[in-house]
């Protein structure tokens, strides 16, 4: 098959990293894959195949006639069997390009989060329903994401499958053997992700303050608009000397393996790769049970906390730091190795593409 993976831009975000890893694995099993990004970005993504950056202006994301035309030209030249849109901006871009320039390739939308959590008003709901009505398949990252989509939208005729994120074990091992120029003192907890409201980094500061245990620091790894507010909040809580900020890292794994635990107080999630990576590396995970997190994290594999229960989060950190986690860590690693490797997930995507292409309505559009 020829498969076009459409991403927002080259950036160290889960949707883009996974799309690049998936492209690599699909290419390895014999498919021809093209990676296309809409907006300009500087990050290196883990894909050595052909990449095209359209470098479209973000301010025109809803009416980018020239960009839709450029994607159409790429599709006519490449002649893909499937176009996979990864994340919301790519869904809009692909649907409008196809609608106005009348190309026929089926669109698969990778539903990597819970769309219902991002619906702001009735117009936004109608607009997203319009987009979903014009695609040919949906791959949801978790059962929770599937349930949310079905609750929020009407998609009864669209083929829909749960295909989780996968971990590239070989890349993980290769990167563990690389050195990074980051020096961190003291035992630390690690929150890895954007400094944005849905990740609740300020809530994490308050949890650390409540715990009143000075034996560890807290490291935020990621970029985002809340950094200044976090620095101010850390000063207010007298935590400034224990809070450290690292930008997004091209190789976070040597740092991840030094953490006493990965903490994730998010309000919204799909199924975060960092949880599976930590589990594969036998690093304890403490997270609110939002989105697809409870599908992998439970009392046998880590610390899954009722959403919003900050006191339970405090207690879980204490239990994690002062308990024997050997059984949990072994169970967590086994779960990932048996069910969440990228090779297995790529095969699930391949099977889903083939199933979609075998349907007569899709063949008729080709």
């Amino acid at each position: 098959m020829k498969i076009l993976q459409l991403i927002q831009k080259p950036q160290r975000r889960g949707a883009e990293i996974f799309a690049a890893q998936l492209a690599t694995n699909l290419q390895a099993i014999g498919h021809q894959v093209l990676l296309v990004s809409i907006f300009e970005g500087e990050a290196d993504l883990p894909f050595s195949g052909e990449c095209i950056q359209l470098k479209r202006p973000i301010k025109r994301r809803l009416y980018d006639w020239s960009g839709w035309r450029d994607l159409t030209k790429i599709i006519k030249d490449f002649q893909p069997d499937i176009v996979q849109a990864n994340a919301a901006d790519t869904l809009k871009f692909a649907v409008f390009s196809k609608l106005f320039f009348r190309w026929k390739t089926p669109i698969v939308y990778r539903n990597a989060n819970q769309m219902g959590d991002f619906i702001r008003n009735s117009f936004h709901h109608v607009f997203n329903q319009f987009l979903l009505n014009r695609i040919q398949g949906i791959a949801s990252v978790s059962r929770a994401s599937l349930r949310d989509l079905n609750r929020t939208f009407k998609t009864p005729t669209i083929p829909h499958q749960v295909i989780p994120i996968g971990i590239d074990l070989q890349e993980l091992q290769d990167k563990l053997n690389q050195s990074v120029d980051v020096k961190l003192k003291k035992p630390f907890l690690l929150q890895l992700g954007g400094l944005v409201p849905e990740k609740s980094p300020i809530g994490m500061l308050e949890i650390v303050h409540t715990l009143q245990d000075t034996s560890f620091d807290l490291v935020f790894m990621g970029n985002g608009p809340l950094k200044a507010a976090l620095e101010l909040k850390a000063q207010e809580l007298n935590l400034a000397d224990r809070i450290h900020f690292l930008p997004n890292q091209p190789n976070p794994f040597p740092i991840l393996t030094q953490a006493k635990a990965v903490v994730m107080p998010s309000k919204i999630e799909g199924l975060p790769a960092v949880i599976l990576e930590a589990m594969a590396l036998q690093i304890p995970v403490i997270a609110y049970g939002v989105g697809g997190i409870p599908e992998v994290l439970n009392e046998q594999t880590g610390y899954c906390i009722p959403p919003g229960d900050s006191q339970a989060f405090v207690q879980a950190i204490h239990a994690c730091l002062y308990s024997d986690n050997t059984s949990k860590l072994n169970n967590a690693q086994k779960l990932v190795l048996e069910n969440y490797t990228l090779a297995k997930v790529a095969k699930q995507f391949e099977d889903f593409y083939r199933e979609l292409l075998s349907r007569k309505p899709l063949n008729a559009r080709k």
Side-chain angles (χ1 to χ4, degrees):
M1 282 183 287
K2 288 186 173 183
I3 303 156
L4 188 151
Q5 293 285 344
L6 186 64
I7 62 173
Q8 188 184 59
K9 64 180 181 179
Q11 60 183 332
R12 300 298 301 180
R13 188 180 70 152
E16 284 75 20
I17 293 172
F18 178 75
Q21 292 174 327
L22 176 61
T24 296
N25 275 258
L26 289 169
Q27 196 172 68
I29 57 178
H31 303 291
Q32 191 173 344
V33 186
L34 176 64
L35 189 66
V36 178
S37 62
I38 300 171
F39 310 124
E40 188 170 6
E42 301 298 328
D44 290 327
L45 293 174
F47 180 60
S48 59
E50 184 179 1
C51 302
I52 297 176
Q53 282 199 51
L54 296 177
K55 299 183 179 180
R56 302 305 307 161
I58 292 180
K59 64 182 180 181
R60 298 189 61 187
R61 67 207 315 167
L62 290 178
Y63 52 94
D64 193 354
W65 184 270
S66 296
W68 303 337
R69 183 188 58 207
D70 291 347
L71 178 61
T72 300
K73 184 178 186 305
I74 291 170
I75 287 172
K76 287 183 176 179
D77 290 343
F78 184 56
Q79 291 291 303
D81 298 290
I82 290 285
V83 171
Q84 179 163 311
N86 298 277
D89 277 324
T90 64
L91 176 63
K92 293 191 288 281
F93 201 86
V95 166
F96 280 113
S97 175
K98 183 174 183 177
L99 183 65
F100 285 107
F101 290 95
R102 300 185 180 279
W103 43 270
K104 305 299 182 182
T105 309
I107 298 173
V108 172
Y109 174 56
R110 181 170 179 265
N111 177 30
N113 215 311
Q114 296 198 163
M115 289 182 70
D117 292 329
F118 296 91
I119 298 300
R120 299 184 296 273
N121 51 50
S122 58
F123 171 79
H124 196 212
H125 181 272
V126 170
F127 179 69
N128 279 275
Q129 182 69 68
F130 170 85
L131 297 176
L132 292 171
N133 288 345
R134 282 153 181 81
I135 63 176
Q136 287 69 51
I138 302 171
S140 283
V141 73
S142 68
R143 295 189 296 275
S145 294
L146 169 60
R147 288 192 300 270
D148 169 78
L149 194 79
N150 288 336
R151 281 195 306 266
T152 309
F153 300 103
K154 297 177 181 178
T155 59
T157 62
I158 303 174
H160 198 158
Q161 187 164 324
V162 175
I163 308 179
I165 199 165
I167 302 303
D168 189 331
L169 298 175
Q170 185 58 57
E171 181 189 28
L172 201 62
Q173 191 57 54
D174 291 345
K175 288 192 171 183
L176 280 176
N177 294 328
Q178 299 173 7
S179 61
V180 294
D181 189 21
V182 176
K183 300 291 189 295
L184 292 167
K185 301 176 182 178
K186 229 179 191 180
F188 63 89
L189 305 179
L190 175 66
Q191 180 169 339
L192 199 158
L195 303 180
V196 293
E198 56 265 30
K199 302 292 186 182
S200 194
I202 290 177
M204 192 64 232
L205 284 182
E206 293 170 343
I207 287 169
V208 170
H209 178 257
T210 301
L211 186 59
Q212 295 186 339
D213 181 342
T214 61
S215 67
F216 64 89
D217 288 354
L218 174 64
V219 175
F220 290 107
M221 186 190 299
N223 306 318
L226 290 183
K227 184 178 179 182
L230 280 166
E231 291 173 330
L232 180 61
K233 188 68 173 180
Q235 294 274 3
E236 291 175 357
L237 298 176
N238 294 317
L239 292 173
D241 60 338
R242 295 177 53 208
I243 307 302
H244 310 280
F245 296 92
L246 296 176
N248 284 329
Q249 301 289 309
N251 180 10
F253 301 114
I255 301 168
L256 177 61
T257 55
Q258 298 177 48
K260 296 295 288 184
V262 168
V263 290
M264 188 168 288
S266 301
K267 301 173 183 177
I268 301 170
E269 287 291 352
L271 181 58
V274 64
I275 285 184
L276 299 177
E277 290 162 348
M279 292 167 73
L281 295 171
Q282 295 197 309
I283 307 302
V285 177
I286 308 165
Y288 282 138
V290 297
I293 290 175
E295 295 171 27
V296 297
L297 196 66
N298 52 51
E299 61 182 11
Q300 281 79 44
T301 59
Y303 298 86
C304 189
I305 314 303
D309 190 343
S310 60
Q311 190 57 46
F313 209 112
V314 168
Q315 293 168 358
I317 292 175
H318 185 272
C320 178
L321 293 176
Y322 300 106
S323 300
D324 181 0
N325 293 297
T326 302
S327 178
K328 290 180 185 290
L329 299 180
N330 288 339
N331 291 337
Q333 186 181 62
K334 181 180 179 183
L335 177 71
V336 172
L337 297 183
E338 290 182 352
N339 299 284
Y340 294 95
T341 64
L342 195 51
K344 291 182 178 180
V345 169
K347 184 64 170 64
Q348 292 177 56
F349 272 99
E350 178 189 47
D351 291 344
F352 186 48
Y353 299 155
R354 292 194 188 282
E355 192 272 331
L356 291 177
L357 293 173
S358 70
R359 292 170 176 255
K360 289 184 178 179
L362 289 182
N363 286 337
R365 296 188 186 103
K366 284 289 292 169

